[in-house]
Amino acid sequence: MNTGVRTPRLCTEAQAVAMIENGMTLAIGEPTPMALVRQVIRRELRDLTVIASGLALDLLIAGGCVRKTISYYAGGGFGVPVAPSFRRAAERGEIEVWECEEGILTSGLEAAGKGLPFLPWRGGVGTSLPEVNPDLKLMRDPINGETLLAVPAIKPDVALLHASVADVYGNVQHQGGPGWIDLFLQRAAARCIVQVEKIVPNEAIRAAPWATTIGRADAVVRLPWGAHPWYSRGWYVQDSAFLAAYLAVATAAAERDEPAGLAEFLHRYCHEPVTHADYLERVGLKRLLALHEY
Amino acid sequence: MNTGVRTPRLCTEAQAVAMIENGMTLAIGEPTPMALVRQVIRRELRDLTVIASGLALDLLIAGGCVRKTISYYAGGGFGVPVAPSFRRAAERGEIEVWECEEGILTSGLEAAGKGLPFLPWRGGVGTSLPEVNPDLKLMRDPINGETLLAVPAIKPDVALLHASVADVYGNVQHQGGPGWIDLFLQRAAARCIVQVEKIVPNEAIRAAPWATTIGRADAVVRLPWGAHPWYSRGWYVQDSAFLAAYLAVATAAAERDEPAGLAEFLHRYCHEPVTHADYLERVGLKRLLALHEY
Amino acid sequence: MPPSCSTAELLACFLARDLNDGEELQVGVALPIPEAAVRLAHLTHGPNMELIFLGARMNVHHLDHLPMPAFGWDARVVRWAESFSDRGHRFDQVRDWQRRVFFVGGLQVDPHGNTNLIGVGQDFRRLQFRGPGSVGTSTLTTHVGRYYIVLNSHTPRIFVPRCDFISTVGWGSGGADARTALGLPGGGPKYCITPLCILDFTPDEKRLRLVSLHPGVTLAQVQAQTGFELVIPAQVPTTAAPTPEDLQVLRTQVDVAGALRG
Amino acid sequence: MPPSCSTAELLACFLARDLNDGEELQVGVALPIPEAAVRLAHLTHGPNMELIFLGARMNVHHLDHLPMPAFGWDARVVRWAESFSDRGHRFDQVRDWQRRVFFVGGLQVDPHGNTNLIGVGQDFRRLQFRGPGSVGTSTLTTHVGRYYIVLNSHTPRIFVPRCDFISTVGWGSGGADARTALGLPGGGPKYCITPLCILDFTPDEKRLRLVSLHPGVTLAQVQAQTGFELVIPAQVPTTAAPTPEDLQVLRTQVDVAGALRG
């Protein structure tokens, strides 16, 4: 008697990233959904506002996609205190930096999730943050009169996340936990795309429903090794040599005005591969297999 | 070379409830930690402010422990729209009712957990709640000027919770999820006592750390069938006949001024049994075994 | 000739037909009619509906048989969960509730669909009848795409010109902009269903209006049992009987124990 | 005669001895000295310490060997977790951080221990050096019981009379009530450790004060490398060498790869 069928939410990286338009606010989780990030660069999306850190942030800036960053941490990785493309673009005023901090960011994201125009936060009181970011207003709380920051709601249009597994209906389970920011991004964003290492049967999800970290992603994309060169908890470790190679060319471009290496990197790994599988072939299977976590 | 030993946090119900003093604010989770609640009644604690619902709320009021309730839902159970002892005490002004609602309650608890004097909330705007509870202040948000409720921080002294399992170090894992309120209570309360069906090895906790719902309870008490007559997810269902028997005597006391049955119930099940094991013997092993969940 | 059915079955089938595929249906405890309705809708035309009971989110369209009694009272319902809507967060994603549908009862309802679960009486400190409290209804009705007011009886003590206390805002003091003026993003109450009739709200004033009378109920009876003047259209039909198909699914796959038939 | 050791080892052992059993020790990425310190303390005298790396909370006292390199850079650290401090909530239990200890670096430090991770320059829109940003340091230093400022170099460019921007408030504009006046509940910075010396804060003014000089470092050298006047006590001892026992545990059970020895 049951009529109709439940609609799967599985799609390709190209279909998923087609949701994103120039000028949108994009939120990038951690562990980093690098395959989706590369697809954003491949599509040559422009004027994005991004909530991101690390390689994803730097690569999106290097790829010319970013107008503004909601910025809480832009470390470059091993021994590189600041992400090079971010640093250059910020110092030259080529991107707008909405300066914040993790507790302020999570407050703004929570406000969005809760349908509130703001949430108060204490961390940041006494710092320069409300001075360099006038959207953060000092306020007196209406109960005790204490000084707090009023953080406006931060509303991403699309969140891009990486996880271990999902079923085809958008029930996502992280192994080893999601990164600290992922669930905040998902709750705040209008839409959520999750790339996963593996698709599992719905029955496997229902066997452990409390392990479901996201109940209904708008799109699920199967992208094994999709976090490469970054890590994927329970699956593989980061590819440190690959990251170092990126940092070398990005630093040369940013600090020594030698953009050729970075341009070649972007061409070789972001623009030229048509699909994620093409990218993986270019990286090489042996290299990928050597990154196995345990 | 490792020196010292890690201190277990395992104790008896009497040791755990010894943390609680007259006049404190007590927060009761769901599924309900009935064995701890009975211990509170047995100790004849007085003038408590309670965050509780259902049987726990009603029994604590019937037991004379309550001065004030932080009240969001006081349904009586099957076919009894309002918990009888609560209803009588509230109508006669014998207890103070701090009227709120689940979203308001969670906002106040979150404010406490976040070290904030208040959090704003939209649910309740336009209702009578700020009128019957003047602690809820209408405010204009400092960003957009919208009207919201400012909910003051709600800071329980002790949270009493029920869960499936824990290790001796206070790492707690719920099966089938904790009730909606439990983690809010734990994060807000100064101290947290968790009764569990079973103690498991630390290795079992570390095998699935993301399943840990509470990372370090202040005290863990092994109380099998400790939620009786209420349910324990994954372990046993509620004892409907027992609940109906309670509701009958509580209703007779509240609505017909016939307190004998309720007094006898309190004596038989709360005051006379010295330990939880005494209570279980009185209930009867066959009855308990018949409540097995699956 | 439509099959005979109880009023509860009539209402469950009416509600079920008003629910759309893809919606999230959240039902609290002690509301058997909405509970049956969402499960009926899920089986008949809602393969993408998500049901939320006790914080557990599920899609059980693939199950041929959804046993009563009441999920909402039975913690075992979590066995069908795919995820937990609460996860210790509960109301942290209300921005996403446009597709969510909810159901509320009430001790009192006023002409604009504001309802009261707090209590009856003039003095909050000495209520004549202390109600159960607001549960999560103030928050849910603020944000959900729409909700239904579901009442187990229809009397002048329930339908009052003014609630003694308001726990959920329907259309406030009236008018199509009543909710936006208060900053309430949700869509408000759509229908109010009772054992006598189905009511909705006029588009401009947002006053309670009679939609249909259940079989055997007269207009005069409804008016006598309502403590204020309802808007009465020129034509008031009889509430449409369930289709035989819906009634069969309801009785054989949802309410097998006959809880709604009594 | 104390064994010879590197400055990084000296500092790790100093920090370890300042940590108490029962505390929660949270270490961010790229801070190898605090990371080694908390693990050393955990093994030597902290069976009830809880270590927090990358949001994973663990007690690994029972392990005889805690491998370097750096937990903080390696996501595999979650294999030792008992729970996740984040669980999607992250900062929802800051009321409970009196026992928590944290460590911060900085591009600049002023005489009251305010620090800067934002950037160097007069104009925020055209910084001379764009820093990495505040990470979670503003929030953590607001609430934790105490924290340590850990610097990898000691120069007048770092120790400045006034930070260009402040990302974490130490003792504000000075005075023992500086933090309470701002409503910051945490205990503030206790020590500032550098490759040259250990500094703390005077009790009343909360100005940076020299505690000890590392072996071979002179007072004049520290003064020349600091862009403002430090409080100098009459007697300035040499930073105490690690005990042979601590150094042995550090080298054989914590920093087996010798990352701090180089």
Side-chain angles (χ1 to χ4, degrees), chain D residues 25 34 85 114 185 244 247:
Chain D
L25 309 167
S85 74
N114 305 300
L247 204 56

mmCIF file with all atom_site columns, all heavy atoms in Angstrom, chain D residues 25 34 85 114 185 244 247:
data_model
loop_
_atom_site.group_PDB
_atom_site.id
_atom_site.type_symbol
_atom_site.label_atom_id
_atom_site.label_alt_id
_atom_site.label_comp_id
_atom_site.label_asym_id
_atom_site.label_entity_id
_atom_site.label_seq_id
_atom_site.pdbx_PDB_ins_code
_atom_site.Cartn_x
_atom_site.Cartn_y
_atom_site.Cartn_z
_atom_site.occupancy
_atom_site.B_iso_or_equiv
_atom_site.pdbx_formal_charge
_atom_site.auth_seq_id
_atom_site.auth_comp_id
_atom_site.auth_asym_id
_atom_site.auth_atom_id
_atom_site.pdbx_PDB_model_num
ATOM 1  N N   . LEU D 1 25  ? 44.077 20.130 30.666 1.00 0.00 ? 25  LEU D N   1
ATOM 2  C CA  . LEU D 1 25  ? 45.150 20.826 29.965 1.00 0.00 ? 25  LEU D CA  1
ATOM 3  C C   . LEU D 1 25  ? 44.840 20.852 28.485 1.00 0.00 ? 25  LEU D C   1
ATOM 4  O O   . LEU D 1 25  ? 44.845 19.818 27.814 1.00 0.00 ? 25  LEU D O   1
ATOM 5  C CB  . LEU D 1 25  ? 46.472 20.103 30.248 1.00 0.00 ? 25  LEU D CB  1
ATOM 6  C CG  . LEU D 1 25  ? 46.684 19.875 31.760 1.00 0.00 ? 25  LEU D CG  1
ATOM 7  C CD1 . LEU D 1 25  ? 47.802 18.900 32.015 1.00 0.00 ? 25  LEU D CD1 1
ATOM 8  C CD2 . LEU D 1 25  ? 46.916 21.188 32.480 1.00 0.00 ? 25  LEU D CD2 1
ATOM 9  N N   . PRO D 1 34  ? 54.467 23.343 25.374 1.00 0.00 ? 34  PRO D N   1
ATOM 10 C CA  . PRO D 1 34  ? 53.341 22.989 26.251 1.00 0.00 ? 34  PRO D CA  1
ATOM 11 C C   . PRO D 1 34  ? 52.844 21.569 26.032 1.00 0.00 ? 34  PRO D C   1
ATOM 12 O O   . PRO D 1 34  ? 52.439 20.888 26.979 1.00 0.00 ? 34  PRO D O   1
ATOM 13 C CB  . PRO D 1 34  ? 52.262 24.002 25.863 1.00 0.00 ? 34  PRO D CB  1
ATOM 14 C CG  . PRO D 1 34  ? 52.973 25.131 25.246 1.00 0.00 ? 34  PRO D CG  1
ATOM 15 C CD  . PRO D 1 34  ? 54.208 24.566 24.617 1.00 0.00 ? 34  PRO D CD  1
ATOM 16 N N   . SER D 1 85  ? 35.520 17.026 23.713 1.00 0.00 ? 85  SER D N   1
ATOM 17 C CA  . SER D 1 85  ? 35.145 18.230 24.444 1.00 0.00 ? 85  SER D CA  1
ATOM 18 C C   . SER D 1 85  ? 34.237 19.084 23.579 1.00 0.00 ? 85  SER D C   1
ATOM 19 O O   . SER D 1 85  ? 33.554 19.962 24.082 1.00 0.00 ? 85  SER D O   1
ATOM 20 C CB  . SER D 1 85  ? 36.377 19.027 24.858 1.00 0.00 ? 85  SER D CB  1
ATOM 21 O OG  . SER D 1 85  ? 36.934 19.675 23.740 1.00 0.00 ? 85  SER D OG  1
ATOM 22 N N   . ASN D 1 114 ? 48.941 41.495 27.663 1.00 0.00 ? 114 ASN D N   1
ATOM 23 C CA  . ASN D 1 114 ? 47.993 41.428 26.552 1.00 0.00 ? 114 ASN D CA  1
ATOM 24 C C   . ASN D 1 114 ? 48.767 40.980 25.319 1.00 0.00 ? 114 ASN D C   1
ATOM 25 O O   . ASN D 1 114 ? 49.925 41.355 25.150 1.00 0.00 ? 114 ASN D O   1
ATOM 26 C CB  . ASN D 1 114 ? 47.367 42.799 26.302 1.00 0.00 ? 114 ASN D CB  1
ATOM 27 C CG  . ASN D 1 114 ? 46.715 43.356 27.545 1.00 0.00 ? 114 ASN D CG  1
ATOM 28 O OD1 . ASN D 1 114 ? 45.803 42.749 28.098 1.00 0.00 ? 114 ASN D OD1 1
ATOM 29 N ND2 . ASN D 1 114 ? 47.202 44.505 28.018 1.00 0.00 ? 114 ASN D ND2 1
ATOM 30 N N   . PRO D 1 185 ? 36.032 36.257 33.815 1.00 0.00 ? 185 PRO D N   1
ATOM 31 C CA  . PRO D 1 185 ? 36.064 35.394 35.003 1.00 0.00 ? 185 PRO D CA  1
ATOM 32 C C   . PRO D 1 185 ? 37.336 34.563 35.159 1.00 0.00 ? 185 PRO D C   1
ATOM 33 O O   . PRO D 1 185 ? 37.641 34.139 36.272 1.00 0.00 ? 185 PRO D O   1
ATOM 34 C CB  . PRO D 1 185 ? 34.848 34.487 34.809 1.00 0.00 ? 185 PRO D CB  1
ATOM 35 C CG  . PRO D 1 185 ? 34.560 34.508 33.357 1.00 0.00 ? 185 PRO D CG  1
ATOM 36 C CD  . PRO D 1 185 ? 35.044 35.821 32.829 1.00 0.00 ? 185 PRO D CD  1
ATOM 37 N N   . PRO D 1 244 ? 66.765 15.030 37.071 1.00 0.00 ? 244 PRO D N   1
ATOM 38 C CA  . PRO D 1 244 ? 67.137 13.922 36.172 1.00 0.00 ? 244 PRO D CA  1
ATOM 39 C C   . PRO D 1 244 ? 65.940 13.028 35.873 1.00 0.00 ? 244 PRO D C   1
ATOM 40 O O   . PRO D 1 244 ? 65.788 12.530 34.758 1.00 0.00 ? 244 PRO D O   1
ATOM 41 C CB  . PRO D 1 244 ? 68.211 13.173 36.966 1.00 0.00 ? 244 PRO D CB  1
ATOM 42 C CG  . PRO D 1 244 ? 68.746 14.167 37.942 1.00 0.00 ? 244 PRO D CG  1
ATOM 43 C CD  . PRO D 1 244 ? 67.638 15.101 38.273 1.00 0.00 ? 244 PRO D CD  1
ATOM 44 N N   . LEU D 1 247 ? 63.679 14.710 33.291 1.00 0.00 ? 247 LEU D N   1
ATOM 45 C CA  . LEU D 1 247 ? 64.325 14.716 31.974 1.00 0.00 ? 247 LEU D CA  1
ATOM 46 C C   . LEU D 1 247 ? 64.309 13.315 31.358 1.00 0.00 ? 247 LEU D C   1
ATOM 47 O O   . LEU D 1 247 ? 64.111 13.152 30.155 1.00 0.00 ? 247 LEU D O   1
ATOM 48 C CB  . LEU D 1 247 ? 65.754 15.245 32.120 1.00 0.00 ? 247 LEU D CB  1
ATOM 49 C CG  . LEU D 1 247 ? 66.381 15.852 30.875 1.00 0.00 ? 247 LEU D CG  1
ATOM 50 C CD1 . LEU D 1 247 ? 65.538 16.982 30.308 1.00 0.00 ? 247 LEU D CD1 1
ATOM 51 C CD2 . LEU D 1 247 ? 67.779 16.350 31.193 1.00 0.00 ? 247 LEU D CD2 1
#
